[in-house]
């Protein structure tokens, strides 16, 4: 009976979570960005952030377009269930390393800048790190002062090479809470773990009796 109750609670929790959180993050390329690179960054984001990330269509842009213009074009073409768009861009002009405008629902990374001064081949790791750093900005989460957290501030691109690839545990918990409040769909592994924990908590009082 208790196993049946736990299973029912687990199913109800999963269904409730899916119904309440229906938005996703979209990851789109702009310029000469390989599809397999986008797929690997998507996998890193989902694994470390715990939210669903969907690969979106490539973003076209005019020669000399700014990162802001490319990001706005991506945000304008996003689907109704897209909370925000993160663009991995190869602009054809000198641009900053990245821009994030939460009120316009986009962030954009300049892969040309992340590829600079990379003698140790850490370009792809840098992309994953900065992609994760943009996500908290989109849910209005502040930086972290803890030096071993990915969300601590840095000055130069190659500083990323000496930084963690993940959030500290408090920031991980805070991000997932804010992401849930924003309506972001949790990755299947996270949903299952949270639903199982809720089911166990609900059954424990019955066991005590």
């Amino acid at each position: 009976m208790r196993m049946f109750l736990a299973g029912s609670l687990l199913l109800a929790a999963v269904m409730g979570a899916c119904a309440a959180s229906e938005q996703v993050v979209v990851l789109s390329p702009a310029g000469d960005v390989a599809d397999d690179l986008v797929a690997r960054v998507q996998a890193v984001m989902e694994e470390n952030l715990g939210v669903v990330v969907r690969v979106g269509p490539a973003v076209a842009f005019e020669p000399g377009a700014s990162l802001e213009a490319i990001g706005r074009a991506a945000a304008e073409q996003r689907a109704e269930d897209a909370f925000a768009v993160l663009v991995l861009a190869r602009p054809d002009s000198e641009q900053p390393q990245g821009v994030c405008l939460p009120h316009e629902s986009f962030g954009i990374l300049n892969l040309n800048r992340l590829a600079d001064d990379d003698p140790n081949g850490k370009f792809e790791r840098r992309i994953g790190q900065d992609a994760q750093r943009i996500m908290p900005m989109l849910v209005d989460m502040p930086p972290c002062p803890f030096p071993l957290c990915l969300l601590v501030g840095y000055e130069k691109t190659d500083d990323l090479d000496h930084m963690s690839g993940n959030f500290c545990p408090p920031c991980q918990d805070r991000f997932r809470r804010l992401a849930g409040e924003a309506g972001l769909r949790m990755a299947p592994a996270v949903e299952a773990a949270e639903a199982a924990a809720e089911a166990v908590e609900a059954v424990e009082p019955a066991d005590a009796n």
Side-chain angles (χ1 to χ4, degrees):
M1 179 65 181
R2 287 173 182 168
M3 291 180 64
F4 175 77
L5 176 60
S8 299
L9 289 169
L10 175 60
L11 179 60
V14 171
M15 292 179 65
C18 291
S21 303
E22 290 299 329
Q23 291 193 303
V24 301
V25 177
V26 174
L27 185 68
S28 290
D32 186 17
V33 181
D35 291 344
D36 59 342
L37 173 61
V38 177
R40 289 193 297 272
V41 174
Q42 175 198 25
V44 168
M45 292 178 68
E46 285 202 342
E47 179 180 357
N48 292 345
L49 297 173
V51 297
V52 173
V53 179
R54 183 174 66 211
V55 174
V59 183
F61 59 91
E62 297 293 329
S66 66
L67 292 187
E68 289 87 348
I70 300 171
R72 290 188 179 106
E76 289 173 0
Q77 72 179 26
R78 75 186 194 279
E80 289 185 4
D81 67 341
F83 171 76
V85 182
L86 175 57
V87 184
L88 304 181
R90 287 278 197 178
D92 58 1
S93 59
E94 187 68 21
Q95 299 286 340
Q97 184 165 313
V99 172
C100 183
L101 296 178
H103 61 288
E104 297 190 40
S105 304
F106 76 83
I108 179 169
L109 295 177
N110 180 354
L111 303 196
N112 296 333
R113 291 290 294 271
L114 289 170
D116 289 345
D117 190 21
D118 181 25
N120 299 315
K122 296 186 177 179
F123 167 60
E124 190 168 319
R125 182 176 186 271
R126 292 175 179 178
I127 300 171
Q129 288 172 296
D130 255 1
Q132 292 179 76
R133 287 173 59 87
I134 278 185
M135 287 304 303
M137 300 180 199
L138 292 171
V139 295
D140 197 26
M141 180 173 157
C144 179
F146 183 51
L148 298 181
C149 180
L150 179 56
L151 295 181
V152 72
Y154 73 91
E155 296 181 359
K156 300 178 297 181
T157 299
D158 60 1
D159 288 343
L160 284 168
D161 302 340
H162 309 288
M163 291 168 57
S164 171
N166 300 288
F167 299 170
C168 64
C171 282
Q172 182 71 270
D173 291 343
R174 188 177 302 116
F175 173 76
R176 289 184 179 175
R177 175 177 59 80
L178 291 172
E181 292 174 358
L184 283 172
R185 187 182 307 161
M186 295 293 112
V190 174
E191 282 189 335
E194 291 180 348
E198 290 176 3
V200 169
E201 289 177 3
V203 172
E204 280 177 350
D207 289 341
N209 294 328

